[in-house]
Amino acid sequence: MKIDIISVVPDLLESPFAHSIMKRARDKGLLEVNCINLREYTTYARAQVDDYQFGGGAGMVMMVEPLVNAIESLQESTVYDEVIYLTPDGKTFDQKMANHLSLKNNLLLICGHYKGIDQRVRDHFITKEISIGDYVLSGGELAAAVLVDAIGRLIPGVLNDETSALTDSFQDGLLAPPVYTRPVIFRDWKVPDILLSGNHAKIEEWRHEQALKNTAEKRPDLLP
Ligand code: ADE
């Protein structure tokens, strides 16, 4: 999968994909992430990419021309399955969306700043608008990083058995059960006996009960 990201602060996107599972995905050639600096696509003086909004009001708007230049230039060499704008008024991102997007070949993400992007870009180029939650970030970059991480780890071959996404919270609509590792006893806190029993059927049953309990306590809204 290839994910291109248009940003006015591409440096913000250096670190999130340079470590751990994202690094492995890129090293294995399963995920390609390219950060494109919007300022390279403006024809305005001093690399300007934003301007005052028509009608007045506080806050700058990202101009249509640099964005369209960047998008159309990238589209010359890539057919994108989705052109996604990260925005607080988009559809709230969830695991189902991550699963769906992880099956695509090419994604283009657009990070907004200031008051957002000129509506004409949204009307003519954007195929999906996504928010990562009901709060406002200073730009779309951190939201883009969240998307790429959540999607990237689901690409077939990225996770191995130990890190399998199948047992993640939300994959079966429930929160994950509690997990333990060595030592069996720390202070007087003991790992539940069932996990040491070797009875895999019973362990799975226990995990499912715990997942249900966890979900009922913390996120009852997820239960039917
Ligand atoms: N840009 C600013 N806030 C955002 C949010 N909550 N989700 C996605 N993009 C954003």
Side-chain angles (χ1 to χ4, degrees):
M1 170 187 278
K2 178 168 85 152
I3 305 182
D4 291 337
I5 310 174
I6 297 177
S7 162
V8 279
V9 270
D11 287 355
L12 256 182
L13 292 162
E14 282 292 308
S15 176
F17 316 125
H19 307 279
S20 182
I21 288 168
M22 289 302 104
K23 177 176 184 326
R24 207 169 64 209
R26 295 174 86 178
D27 289 350
K28 278 186 178 173
L30 297 169
L31 174 66
E32 178 186 336
V33 183
N34 304 301
C35 302
I36 294 104
N37 189 344
L38 181 65
R39 293 190 196 278
E40 288 172 13
Y41 291 88
T42 183
T43 51
Y44 293 88
R46 294 181 302 281
Q48 185 184 353
V49 290
D50 60 319
D51 211 339
Y52 295 100
Q53 53 178 311
F54 284 125
M60 307 290 272
V61 174
M62 286 170 67
M63 289 187 285
V64 62
E65 196 183 323
L67 279 166
V68 170
N69 285 346
I71 296 169
E72 286 187 336
S73 159
L74 292 165
Q75 282 177 332
E76 276 171 23
S77 54
T78 304
V79 177
Y80 292 102
D81 298 295
E82 301 284 359
V83 180
I84 299 170
Y85 174 43
L86 284 318
T87 172
D89 60 6
K91 188 160 185 264
T92 309
F93 189 58
D94 61 13
Q95 193 64 32
K96 195 165 157 235
M97 259 193 247
N99 286 335
H100 176 75
L101 291 172
S102 73
L103 302 174
K104 306 289 183 189
N105 290 321
N106 299 308
L107 300 176
L108 177 58
L109 308 187
I110 317 267
C111 303
H113 264 260
Y114 324 111
K115 276 282 158 205
I117 65 176
D118 190 297
Q119 182 62 35
R120 290 166 288 187
V121 180
R122 298 173 77 156
D123 293 343
H124 297 284
F125 290 91
I126 302 297
T127 60
K128 252 190 203 332
E129 300 188 329
I130 297 181
S131 162
I132 62 159
D134 289 345
Y135 40 79
V136 178
L137 303 166
S138 32
E141 285 74 12
L142 296 182
V146 167
L147 244 74
V148 173
D149 191 294
I151 293 167
R153 62 195 293 285
L154 295 172
I155 297 170
V158 169
L159 297 184
N160 50 31
D161 271 358
E162 284 91 73
T163 51
S164 168
L166 295 175
T167 52
D168 284 347
S169 280
F170 304 112
Q171 272 313 356
D172 57 1
L174 298 175
L175 300 186
V179 291
Y180 299 85
T181 186
R182 289 191 299 172
V184 170
I185 301 175
F186 176 73
R187 300 195 178 156
D188 58 349
W189 309 326
K190 191 166 182 299
V191 172
D193 287 334
I194 184 77
L195 295 177
L196 311 170
S197 69
N199 184 335
H200 293 292
K202 284 270 176 238
I203 290 172
E204 277 322 300
E205 201 178 300
W206 180 85
R207 284 186 170 146
H208 185 65
E209 281 164 16
Q210 293 294 314
L212 279 170
K213 184 166 166 267
N214 229 356
T215 311
E217 275 169 22
K218 297 178 189 166
R219 291 291 307 275
D221 56 297
L222 293 176
L223 294 173

